[in-house]
Amino acid sequence: MNEPKVGPNRPLFVLFGSSIVQLSYYFDGWGAALTGFYARKADIFVRGYGGWTSRNALQVLSKVFPQNDKIQPSLVILYFGGNDSTDPDVPNSPNVPIDEYVENMRKIILHIKGLSKNIRVIMLTAPAVNEKQIIEYYGSNLGRTNERGRIYSEAGIKLAQELRLKYIDFWSALQEPDDWMDTVFSDGLHLTKEGSAIVFHKITKVIKEAEWEPTLDWEKMPDEFDGNQPHSLYHEKMMEGINRMMGISDSRQVKSE
């Protein structure tokens, strides 16, 4: 990461992945939600590349995460696997064989963790898909099946456990709502607002429960320039409105003093 031109320096979160990351600011996406949630606490950079696989990511890894930069991320949220899991028999398939996928992810994770002793990584595994919706939207399933997603997800979980890495079982998480097939996808592959809400809550839960030092828990991180805010009744009322818009409870609300 290049040294920021605007100060003060805040903890830096990087979202690195394929279209699930690239589109995370659309449709009330999870990237936008994280950015709003961590306002005045952390800066969030999006490095999302639609259609990419772990193989593509490995090829540019040192450009996205240079080893000698003065400022390194505090947190990287890593997602590849959906495109990797595509059926190899589909014409022009982006499939990455599962053994290669695992080794690519291992190299990516070890490179990132080697940048600084304080870098934390959360990995999203390969996701679930709604095959029927994909066919309705695109005319074919594009080589994506829920079963192939499960296989790649389980391989990712095994790797994360081996490396003692925080992870989110993306495949299972998207299927938790009873009506998941009708609500979490816009096209069978990419997330609706409801699908993004699942990702956001899973990420913030992992961060909250992690015993990281320094902490990246929203509740425990200081606000930038805390104590320098106005104290007028107008400002108090404005902050109450912001808290309601963000859905933050009284115990976790943005403070005005």
Side-chain angles (χ1 to χ4, degrees), residues 13-47:
F13 295 1
V14 180
L15 318 182
F16 182 43
S18 55
S19 56
I20 292 289
V21 173
Q22 181 175 332
L23 298 176
S24 67
Y25 275 68
Y26 292 83
F27 316 117
D28 295 319
W30 60 275
L34 282 173
T35 300
F37 195 60
Y38 277 92
R40 295 184 62 176
K41 295 176 183 288
D43 287 331
I44 297 182
F45 287 6
V46 176
R47 295 295 181 267

Side-chain angles (χ1 to χ4, degrees), residues 157-174:
I157 291 171
K158 184 177 179 181
L159 174 65
Q161 291 172 338
E162 176 191 333
L163 298 178
R164 305 178 76 175
L165 191 76
K166 301 293 184 184
Y167 69 90
I168 293 166
D169 180 352
F170 200 11
W171 187 85
S172 295
L174 291 176

Side-chain angles (χ1 to χ4, degrees), residues 177-238:
D178 291 338
D179 60 350
W180 72 274
M181 294 189 74
D182 299 318
T183 59
V184 304
F185 299 110
S186 59
D187 60 354
L189 298 169
H190 301 107
L191 302 179
T192 59
K193 175 181 178 180
E194 291 77 12
S196 273
I198 293 171
V199 181
F200 171 78
H201 289 300
K202 292 292 184 181
I203 290 172
T204 53
K205 183 174 186 291
V206 168
I207 294 172
K208 183 175 181 61
E209 295 177 353
E211 296 180 356
W212 290 335
E213 291 295 338
T215 184
L216 300 177
D217 181 7
W218 180 92
E219 290 187 76
K220 298 176 182 177
M221 294 174 70
D223 281 349
E224 190 169 275
F225 299 127
D226 191 26
N228 290 352
Q229 300 186 60
H231 295 273
S232 66
L233 179 60
Y234 169 84
H235 189 73
E236 294 285 348
K237 292 296 183 183
M238 184 179 68

Side-chain angles (χ1 to χ4, degrees), residues 120-135:
R120 314 303 179 190
V121 180
I122 300 173
M123 185 180 77
L124 301 178
T125 71
V129 298
N130 182 338
E131 298 168 48
K132 182 174 181 289
Q133 193 177 11
I134 299 171
I135 293 170

Side-chain angles (χ1 to χ4, degrees), residues 64-161:
V64 178
F65 298 101
Q67 287 186 318
N68 297 321
D69 270 16
K70 293 179 181 179
I71 297 176
Q72 295 291 355
S74 296
L75 174 66
V76 176
I77 298 174
L78 176 65
Y79 164 73
F80 289 99
N83 297 314
D84 299 70
S85 71
T86 304
D87 186 340
D89 293 329
V90 170
N92 301 311
S93 171
N95 172 260
V96 174
I98 194 163
D99 290 344
E100 181 188 347
Y101 166 70
V102 170
E103 288 310 304
N104 289 346
M105 294 299 285
R106 183 192 307 275
K107 291 174 183 176
I108 292 168
I109 292 163
L110 293 178
H111 174 87
I112 293 171
K113 288 179 68 67
L115 297 174
S116 164
K117 66 179 182 179
N118 290 325
I119 289 185
R120 314 303 179 190
V121 180
I122 300 173
M123 185 180 77
L124 301 178
T125 71
V129 298
N130 182 338
E131 298 168 48
K132 182 174 181 289
Q133 193 177 11
I134 299 171
I135 293 170
E136 291 173 350
Y137 198 90
Y138 293 100
S140 74
N141 72 355
L142 304 179
R144 298 288 294 275
T145 69
N146 216 28
E147 177 61 13
R148 291 190 64 84
R150 180 189 66 79
I151 293 169
Y152 276 68
S153 178
E154 289 181 354
I157 291 171
K158 184 177 179 181
L159 174 65
Q161 291 172 338

